[in-house]
Each structure stands twice: as structure tokens, then as C-alpha cells.
Amino acid sequence: MGELQLALRFTCLSLMSMVYLYGHPLLPKMHYLHPFSVSQLDSLRHQAMSIVAARLSRAEPPLRREVVEYMLDVESHMWSMRRSKANFFRIMSVMSGASAIFRWLDEVSMWRNPVTTVLAHVLFIILLWYPELILPTLFLYMFLIGLWNYRFRPRQPPQMETKLSWAEAAQPDELDEEFDTFPSSKPQDVVKMRYDRLRSVAGRIQTVVGDMATQGERLQGVLSWRDPRATALFVVFCLAAAVALYVMPFRMVALAAALYVFRHPRFRSKLPSPPSNFFKRLPSRIDSLL
């Protein structure tokens, strides 16, 4: 009843051949010139799974079909509460780096640590006056991060992680739903409960997607003259900005923008800024929905 793990390590005798492969596509050229459609890929996936399952069912000892389906992820497109949670927290883990950068910029702009804010000002002014140092500094920074993370490199090959898959926190009903057939073979009351739960989760996703669409439509509507006053104001602002940016050196504009963003909290207002208020008042197509 324990856990058995089998790790296989493949090595290449020629390092140059391995490095050469990194710059080449994974599939043959025809897969990119004439790609398969989604329905064709699903059909081929099921046919390949059936061939493998039929072959392994005749092996000694025989391997059942559901094991082959699970190992080949044939039903990966089916709904699963556990898999949805796992993918959500995978996205949150990927976005944690960007959110950490935004938190650091917010702390710098709010003068939480005056020494760090002053150093950020100095670094920005140096990069502004010597723009040729921006890309070398960026690549050098990533090089140093890679060297720093070398100490924490994985010592073992990757394996199944129950915590990453949210298998430890999955409820019995969620697991039963995941292994249910399609169409469902459960009683009507169970299907109704799961459908209501799915509607609740999908409603929150629908709200987030609607908010993202609203922001995109506002961005598109700034020049569409749907709100004539807002578009007229933005057009006049663009003309004035074009003249100002033509007359003033770009370094001075960037320096003024940075000093405005990093201004001390004493000179800040707790109310939203005028550009934010202007953007939120732009029209969207949400009022045209039924």
C-alpha cells in the first residue's frame, strides 16, 4: 500500500546535438504548414489511446482501459473541480512574480522605505540619462538571478505532486464527479447538486471575464465617438501631447512622469486620479446586453 516511484534518466552522448535541437520545432514541418483541426486532434488522440489500450490489455499482467485513459490524459478536457483549482493556483503562482514587482513599486512610490525610494530615483535617473545601459542591466539582472537560483535547483527528476494537483484537499464528491462517465450515470439529485455548484463557479468566472471585456471595450471606445465629449477631450489631449512631446526632450518628460509617480504621500490624494475617473466613465457595450 506504499508509494512506488520509477524515475528514468535519458542522456545524450553529444552535447552539441542536444543544444542544436533546442532551436528546432518539436514536430515535423507538415504539422505547422497544414495543422490539424481541434476535432481531428481529438479523434486521433482517441484512436491512439484505443490502440495502446488494446495492446496493453493483452499484456501479462493486463492493464485495464481506464488506467491507460488516465495516464494519457484523454479526458483532460472534461470538467473537474479539483483540476480547476489546481490550474487556478498554478496561474496564481506564475503571476506571483509580477504581483511582487507591483507591490515593490507601490512600496517605493509610497515611500515605505525612504532609502529604497531614493536609490530607485537614482537608478532611474542613471538609466534615463544613459539609455544604452537599460538592456545590459536587464540581462545582467536575469543572469544574476539565474546564478542565485542555481543553489535551489531540483535535485531529482520531476514527479507527480499531490499538493500541486490538489489531490489531498479534494472532497469525495469532487473525486466521484471527476471519475463519472459522460453522460453522467449518477442519480438525478446528485447531478442537480453538481450542476448548481458548477453554475456557481461558472458565474464567478463569467463576472471576471465580463469585467475584462468591459475594460477592453472602454479602451476601444476612447476613439469611437460613442461618447462625443469623451472622444473630443481625448483627441484634444492627444494633439496637445503630440506638440509637447515634439518640443520637450523625452528625458525631461520621462523624468517628470517618474517624479510624479514616486511623489511623497504628503502630495497624494486618497481619491482616484483624473485619468482613472475619465477611463471609468468611458462607454462600454455592457449596457447593450440583455
Side-chain angles (χ1 to χ4, degrees):
M1 301 300 292
E3 181 180 358
L4 180 62
Q5 297 181 0
L6 177 63
L8 300 178
R9 183 185 296 274
F10 297 93
T11 59
C12 183
L13 298 179
S14 175
L15 179 61
M16 295 303 297
S17 298
M18 180 61 66
V19 174
Y20 177 77
L21 290 177
Y22 272 93
H24 285 70
L26 296 174
L27 301 175
K29 185 185 298 184
M30 293 299 294
H31 286 268
Y32 301 97
L33 298 179
H34 304 283
F36 290 109
S37 63
V38 177
S39 59
Q40 289 174 333
L41 287 176
D42 290 339
S43 177
L44 289 175
R45 185 179 293 111
H46 279 84
Q47 292 178 19
M49 183 274 303
S50 300
I51 295 174
V52 175
R55 181 67 179 270
L56 294 179
S57 63
R58 298 192 298 267
E60 289 294 338
L63 199 61
R64 299 180 62 177
R65 183 183 179 89
E66 54 265 26
V67 178
V68 179
E69 292 180 354
Y70 178 77
M71 293 300 297
L72 296 181
D73 270 346
V74 175
E75 303 296 336
S76 59
H77 62 282
M78 300 295 293
W79 164 258
S80 170
M81 181 70 74
R82 176 194 61 82
R83 196 182 289 264
S84 300
K85 292 179 181 178
N87 289 333
F88 172 76
F89 284 100
R90 284 173 60 199
I91 294 177
M92 295 300 295
S93 177
V94 171
M95 298 297 293
S96 62
S99 61
I101 294 176
F102 283 113
R103 286 196 301 268
W104 179 80
L105 290 175
D106 182 67
E107 292 179 357
V108 169
S109 61
M110 296 301 293
W111 290 73
R112 303 285 173 80
N113 189 345
V115 177
T116 304
T117 304
V118 172
L119 292 177
H121 279 79
V122 173
L123 177 62
F124 179 79
I125 293 174
I126 291 176
L127 294 179
L128 184 63
W129 249 255
Y130 301 97
E132 63 274 7
L133 296 179
I134 295 179
L135 290 179
T137 303
L138 178 62
F139 284 105
L140 180 61
Y141 180 68
M142 291 190 291
F143 170 75
L144 294 177
I145 291 179
L147 289 183
W148 178 263
N149 291 335
Y150 181 77
R151 301 188 305 166
F152 311 105
R153 67 189 186 280
R155 306 288 182 172
Q156 298 177 354
Q159 57 191 10
M160 294 294 179
E161 297 185 21
T162 56
K163 186 176 181 181
L164 176 65
S165 306
W166 273 73
E168 299 175 345
Q171 302 296 326
D173 182 70
E174 296 177 356
L175 295 177
D176 184 65
E177 179 188 19
E178 184 174 349
F179 291 105
D180 191 10
T181 58
F182 184 83
S184 178
S185 58
K186 297 299 178 181
Q188 184 176 0
D189 55 344
V190 177
V191 177
K192 181 179 181 299
M193 183 270 296
R194 292 175 179 174
Y195 175 68
D196 292 337
R197 181 177 61 188
L198 179 59
R199 289 179 62 189
S200 175
V201 175
R204 292 195 291 269
I205 298 175
Q206 173 183 286
T207 303
V208 175
V209 173
D211 293 340
M212 295 173 61
T214 299
Q215 305 304 324
E217 289 171 352
R218 287 173 177 170
L219 192 61
Q220 287 182 342
V222 70
L223 291 174
S224 64
W225 292 93
R226 187 175 180 184
D227 187 346
R229 288 176 294 273
T231 304
L233 288 173
F234 185 74
V235 168
V236 172
F237 168 77
C238 290
L239 178 61
V243 174
L245 291 176
Y246 179 77
V247 174
M248 299 177 59
F250 177 75
R251 292 179 178 177
M252 301 303 298
V253 176
L255 180 60
L259 293 178
Y260 177 78
V261 172
F262 293 150
R263 67 190 184 278
H264 197 273
R266 182 181 302 175
F267 305 104
R268 295 176 181 271
S269 175
K270 295 183 179 180
L271 298 178
S273 61
S276 176
N277 296 330
F278 176 80
F279 182 77
K280 291 179 180 179
R281 290 181 179 274
L282 290 174
S284 66
R285 304 186 66 182
I286 191 172
D287 52 351
S288 300
L289 294 176
L290 292 176

